[in-house]
Amino acid sequence: MNRRRNTTKPVPVNLALQGGGSHGAFTWGVLDRLLEEPGILIDGISGTSAGAMNAAVLASGYLHGGVTGARQALNDFWQRVSDAARFSPFQRGPLDVLLGRWTLDNSPLFVAMDMMSRLFSPYDLNPQGKNPLNKILEELIDFDRVGDTPVELFITATNVRTGRGRVFRKSELTPDVLLASACLPTMFQAIEIDGEPYWDGGYSGNPTITPLIRELDSEDTILVPVNPVERPGTPSSARDILNRLNEVSFNAVLLKELRMIAMMRQVADPGHSEGARWARMRVHMVSNSIMATLGYSSKLNAEWAFLKMLRDEGRKACETFLAAHGDGIGKRSTVNLEVLLEGV
């Protein structure tokens, strides 16, 4: 349902999609709902890790079949991910299944893998560097033509040597670029591109907002987070502490960029300066509550029932967002970024 029926022309928006393993199926649901909204035109997408996969699959599907093609491509991608993981050793235990818990914390093989990753590297455990996503990406994304899609793409990966993020555009898109953006160094060997090794983009931008502001004319960005910024309580177990550390580090650069927008609103001169472009960006967010109930291990759970649940939650969250804030798109920010300046 479009909240801007009186608008004769769709509002161009940017999307900023976080990564988070199978939790990216939540983003799939958000995208599925946004694609139904006739009052919104997706101008560009910045994505990292699972967010990068969603972005590229959507863009390729849209190129071949418009909105219908994009929605079908996203469905096909996550179905293929689940099919590939059907015989994965990382499965929920019987008690977790019985109690409806999605965690893999009690899976003996997950626990063993988690411990081994502290002693052995992917170069020891996976010397051939195989990644099941490679075949899925090659079969579902038209890499020869994806550069022609009207949706601009910005995919972030982290240069291992320099520690800096590199943002790849749609004309540079390859399976290796997407695999690099999702390359967790404890699970996969670094992906080499142009002679440089790359790890997961989440370490340097999850996702990166800067190119959306600098290179696109649209002045609305919808953020779809899957890593909780806040969690109640203080983690005390080793696993919970590590999980929270990962969330904090994977949100750090994004929060810095959002803080920059808030600062520029206070000090930037009007006009067409770099600061003014930052200040003009209207920020929106499809928030969720489910991610705070899920731990790190569930990011490796690719059961179809789990992915469908996250998709449905994403659609519901997007519906709630549109009902509450749809009228603000194209007019005003619906996220209070000024709170990020508190204590600065």
Side-chain angles (χ1 to χ4, degrees), residues 6 22 68 79 123 153 175 190 193 223 309 325 342:
N6 295 328
S22 64
T68 301
Q79 179 72 70
Y123 298 85
L153 296 176
I193 302 173
L223 172 64
M309 182 277 292
H325 303 298
E342 296 176 0

Side-chain angles (χ1 to χ4, degrees), residues 96-114:
D96 291 321
V97 173
L98 182 64
L99 297 177
R101 298 185 303 213
W102 299 108
T103 179
L104 298 180
D105 288 352
N106 301 311
S107 165
L109 286 173
F110 172 78
V111 173
M113 183 277 294
D114 194 37

Side-chain angles (χ1 to χ4, degrees), residues 2 4-13 34 37-43 62 67 218 220 329-330:
N2 191 336
R4 293 176 304 283
R5 293 300 187 193
N6 295 328
T7 301
T8 57
K9 189 176 182 180
V11 178
V13 301
L34 281 178
E37 194 72 8
I40 288 177
L41 175 67
I42 299 174
D43 188 18
Y62 188 89
V67 167
S218 45
D220 286 80
I329 298 175

Side-chain angles (χ1 to χ4, degrees), residues 244-255:
R244 188 58 184 149
L245 280 172
N246 285 332
E247 290 174 346
V248 171
S249 63
F250 272 37
N251 282 326
V253 179
L254 171 64
L255 291 175

Side-chain angles (χ1 to χ4, degrees), residues 159 161 166-169 171-174 176-177 180 191-198:
N159 186 305
R161 181 179 61 84
R166 174 176 172 182
V167 179
F168 296 86
R169 275 65 178 175
S171 61
E172 303 172 289
L173 204 61
T174 65
D176 277 349
V177 167
I191 303 297
E192 187 170 304
I193 302 173
D194 299 332
E196 293 281 359
Y198 289 91

Side-chain angles (χ1 to χ4, degrees), residues 131-152:
N131 189 325
L133 281 176
N134 187 66
K135 183 178 180 181
I136 295 173
L137 294 171
E138 288 181 342
E139 293 179 353
L140 290 184
I141 297 177
D142 187 349
F143 288 99
D144 291 332
R145 293 190 56 205
V146 72
D148 298 328
T149 178
V151 181
E152 298 298 329

